Amino acid sequence: MTVPATAPTAAAAARPAPGAARGIRRHLAYSPWLFAAPGLLIVAVFSLYPFVSTVINSFTDRRTLLPGHFVGLANFRELLHDDMFWIGLRNSTLYVLGVVPALVILPLLLALLVQRHIPGIAFFRAAFYTPVVASIVVVGLIWVWMLDDRGLINALLETVGIGKVGFLSDQWLLLVSSMAVTVWKGLGYYMIIYLAALANVPRELHEAAAVDGAGAVRRFVTVTVPAVRSTMVLVAALSSVAAFKVFSEVYLMAGPNGGPAGEDTTLVMLVQRVGTGLSGRVGYASALSVVVFVVVVALMLLVLRADRKEDA
Amino acid sequence: MNAPTVTDAEGRRVAPWQLVLRYVLLIAVLALTVGPFLWQLSTSLKGPHEDIFSSPPSFLPGDPTLGNYGRVADTIPVWDYAFNSLKVAAANVVTNCVGAALAGYALARMRYRGRRAATLAFILAMLVPVEGLIIAQFTTMRELGLNNTLIGVLLPGSISAINVLLMRNAFLNLPLEVEEAAFVDGANVWQRFLRIALPSVKGTLAVVAIFAFMGAWDDFLWPLIVLSDPDKFTLTIGLNYLHGTFANDERLVAAGTIIAVAPLIALFACLQRYFFRGVGEGAVKG
């Protein structure tokens, strides 16, 4: 599933389980494993084992139908000389830089907008969540149609006299358009996370600031932002990891080959293209995947470190 | 809009100008988030002789018809695809709810050697990015002989680590005394799980169910990799195919996307109260 859950699960992992009576264990020594077995099995076979085998495969020349041999760092050396790899890395990085600031700030403003319990607000909250619910394929096809040369947005631009813009034909506009779609689809999701955080901001802080004569903008900067800062870091972490791994938006809008001359290919698109099919280069695709792992972990550490530094 | 007397949940009066501004902004965002879906719906209802490329655009179909929905079914077996998606999504709900509840209970409420290791396994699995695993999952699926089957589409996400950890947190938040009392009264672990613990975490279970359904129904990358036989396509893959084949008739593509999204929006509209409550309670607090 694509919906990233939030960090508290990991944070709560450290909490000790309250001690059940000793007898519980003696009575049913077998059952804990019986309870956990299905979950452990699925996770071991489809997450942990594939992770280990990806790392191992990255040092081989394995192909879909051929077993492959150990080739050391050859795949990684080849990456350095592969133009497509650098294009993918560039685009995935640009995606993070373009999408993350928007997804940290806009959903917060949206959450402030729907925070008050005014009549009809439940409807608006649910409606703003609609793009999150819709499949990425549906979203992609809708925006391809909206941004088409003859689509709604160009028709509107023509009507007001600006003229057509080739959103889907220009290499850079394509990437920017995909980013806009990613932001559009993610707004509602991060809005909900911010809503939960805003609920914990004490009202008195705002009132005190208002008494001191702070306007809305000033209260936002001096009260709201500091109060939800850790949530902003969480959103930055989640959205940057998701942005770096982008596949569907670009695949759907730029096509399987990644737009003009493949210039819009992202890293995960490259993994999919190189590694699948009957002649798929499993070893090389695994090396690409390892790069994705490393960057994702680095991004998380970077964001979390930024959080800690500001705390100090 | 009876502005002057409106109060918010805390019983505070909201200034009328503020309220008007708020609704104006809300409606603007509404147009931005829901508008594209309505435009797609409108396109799907436009008749064959209507100019769908007119400038200025016409927002209402001049010659409304449901014919495009029939024509989608003539060009791709869209109802079969929808049924495939439904099968995978329904199975995903069952496996995730059952599997995550069982494992979550084991992690939260039982004491045994290896419990920490089991918890760690789920946390690690949650942190590994799926996008980097797809090739290895694909080769694993080949080895299991499950490529190009709906079971193969289902299995990797059938009990997702994040759901296990969500359920674990929900169980941890329950007071232990009730279960201890039941234990003293002689209830065994199944009875305590089924009769006491499970009914108390319905909210989280509902969130898991909704996410599981949406996740399976909306998934694109994994089915794209695992399925090669058009008979077995799920709706998302079928739509991508429709787009590739009939890009010239936007009415058909539009009708196809509406078929894919309408059931989800309806489902979400029905369940959104539980969803927002459940998310507010458990998933994103902290």
Side-chain angles (χ1 to χ4, degrees):
Chain A
M1 58 181 242
T2 52
V3 186
T6 42
T9 41
R15 201 185 316 167
R22 220 154 209 290
I24 295 181
R25 180 174 51 175
R26 216 174 335 113
H27 267 277
L28 292 141
Y30 63 91
S31 59
W33 291 109
L34 209 63
F35 272 61
L40 279 174
L41 186 73
I42 294 288
V43 159
V45 175
F46 296 108
S47 294
L48 302 179
Y49 167 71
F51 176 73
V52 174
S53 78
T54 298
V55 174
I56 294 173
N57 282 337
S58 71
F59 299 109
T60 70
D61 61 358
R62 185 170 174 188
R63 284 173 179 266
T64 306
L65 296 173
L66 301 170
H69 308 282
F70 180 77
V71 295
L73 291 172
N75 287 325
F76 293 94
R77 270 199 296 274
E78 188 180 341
L79 280 182
L80 297 179
H81 302 289
D82 182 349
D83 289 342
M84 276 325 285
F85 167 71
W86 291 109
I87 288 174
L89 187 63
R90 177 196 72 197
N91 288 337
S92 289
T93 308
L94 284 176
Y95 223 85
V96 174
L97 297 176
V99 162
V100 174
L103 279 181
V104 170
I105 294 164
L106 295 178
L108 175 58
L109 299 177
L110 212 53
L112 289 170
L113 185 63
V114 299
Q115 191 195 8
R116 282 240 171 140
H117 293 270
I118 53 178
I121 202 67
F123 164 75
F124 285 105
R125 282 183 189 178
F128 295 174
Y129 201 77
T130 317
V132 185
V133 174
S135 159
I136 186 62
V137 176
V138 167
V139 167
L141 294 183
I142 287 180
W143 280 98
V144 165
W145 169 225
M146 300 259 302
L147 295 169
D148 189 272
D149 278 353
R150 301 174 300 171
L152 177 64
I153 291 180
N154 270 316
L156 290 174
L157 288 177
E158 284 219 313
T159 309
V160 298
I162 294 177
K164 282 187 194 302
V165 178
F167 294 106
L168 300 178
S169 45
D170 177 81
Q171 169 198 340
W172 298 110
L173 278 178
L174 240 175
L175 205 61
V176 172
S177 302
S178 315
M179 290 178 191
V181 172
T182 303
V183 171
W184 179 81
K185 192 177 186 329
L187 282 176
Y189 179 73
Y190 297 109
M191 173 188 86
I192 298 294
I193 296 184
Y194 277 125
L195 262 181
L198 285 175
N200 297 330
V201 181
R203 257 208 119 85
E204 296 75 44
L205 284 179
H206 276 282
E207 277 157 13
V211 169
D212 290 345
V217 173
R218 207 183 157 116
R219 285 206 305 272
F220 174 74
V221 174
T222 57
V223 180
T224 308
V225 169
V228 298
R229 207 183 47 89
S230 64
T231 308
M232 294 174 86
V233 172
L234 173 69
V235 170
L238 291 175
S239 63
S240 58
V241 167
F244 189 76
K245 300 183 303 187
V246 65
F247 171 81
S248 305
E249 289 92 321
V250 186
Y251 181 94
L252 291 161
M253 296 179 70
N257 294 321
E263 282 286 342
D264 290 308
T265 302
T266 69
L267 271 191
V268 175
M269 284 172 78
L270 199 56
V271 171
Q272 184 262 353
R273 205 186 308 155
V274 172
T276 56
L278 289 180
S279 58
R281 298 182 63 197
V282 172
Y284 192 61
S286 298
L288 279 163
S289 302
V290 169
V291 174
V292 174
F293 291 148
V294 169
V295 176
V296 163
V297 171
L299 275 174
M300 285 204 274
L301 291 179
L302 204 74
V303 175
L304 294 176
R305 230 185 117 150
D307 186 33
R308 211 169 305 146
K309 233 179 226 162
E310 280 179 40
D311 271 342
Chain B
M1 190 158 53
N2 195 10
T5 57
V6 164
T7 54
D8 66 13
E10 289 86 27
R12 303 156 57 87
R13 223 173 67 88
V14 182
W17 70 268
Q18 247 191 3
L19 206 63
V20 171
L21 180 70
R22 218 165 251 266
Y23 277 110
V24 168
L25 286 172
L26 283 170
I27 288 165
V29 178
L30 186 71
L32 210 62
T33 49
V34 178
F37 292 100
L38 295 179
W39 177 241
Q40 191 80 346
L41 179 66
S42 160
T43 305
S44 77
L45 295 174
K46 284 178 180 172
H49 302 298
E50 232 176 298
D51 180 14
I52 59 171
F53 302 114
S54 66
S55 173
S58 65
F59 289 95
L60 289 176
D63 174 23
T65 170
L66 288 173
N68 297 318
Y69 289 84
R71 282 170 57 224
V72 185
D74 292 341
T75 39
I76 59 165
V78 68
W79 303 114
D80 293 343
Y81 293 168
F83 190 50
N84 285 343
S85 284
L86 185 66
K87 280 190 276 194
V88 175
N92 205 42
V93 170
V94 174
T95 52
N96 268 296
C97 284
V98 174
L102 284 171
Y105 190 74
L107 297 184
R109 276 294 194 258
M110 298 174 171
R111 325 213 86 205
Y112 50 96
R113 210 184 258 273
R115 192 176 54 121
R116 267 160 195 275
T119 310
L120 191 67
F122 286 112
I123 291 174
L124 284 178
M126 182 185 74
L127 293 179
V128 178
V130 179
E131 285 80 356
L133 294 180
I134 47 173
I135 300 304
Q137 286 183 338
F138 175 67
T139 53
T140 308
M141 217 43 96
R142 275 186 63 87
E143 282 154 16
L144 293 172
L146 291 172
N147 253 356
N148 204 15
T149 65
L150 291 181
I151 302 278
V153 176
L154 169 73
L155 272 181
S158 59
I159 304 176
S160 84
I162 180 66
N163 288 338
V164 171
L165 294 167
L166 277 177
M167 292 309 301
R168 171 187 177 274
N169 281 3
F171 285 125
L172 275 180
N173 287 332
L174 297 180
L176 195 66
E177 289 75 22
V178 187
E179 273 189 75
E180 277 173 345
F183 173 71
V184 172
D185 288 345
N188 71 27
V189 66
W190 287 102
Q191 289 166 329
R192 294 199 307 272
F193 171 68
L194 286 174
R195 303 238 177 100
I196 297 167
L198 209 51
S200 312
V201 296
K202 267 188 265 172
T204 310
L205 211 54
V207 171
V208 168
I210 297 171
F211 275 157
F213 193 94
M214 274 170 34
W217 184 271
D218 289 350
D219 195 12
F220 178 57
L221 176 57
W222 176 241
L224 181 71
I225 284 173
V226 117
L227 296 176
S228 49
D229 184 352
D231 283 350
K232 307 223 173 68
F233 279 179
T234 56
L235 199 46
T236 51
I237 308 305
L239 277 183
N240 182 47
Y241 187 69
L242 179 75
H243 167 61
T245 320
F246 303 98
N248 290 330
D249 198 343
E250 274 302 332
R251 298 174 186 82
L252 286 192
V253 179
T257 55
I258 294 297
I259 292 172
V261 80
L264 262 190
I265 292 183
L267 181 79
F268 182 71
C270 294
L271 298 177
Q272 47 97 4
R273 263 191 310 144
Y274 305 97
F275 176 76
F276 285 122
R277 198 188 304 151
V279 168
E281 274 168 10
V284 291
K285 201 180 281 178

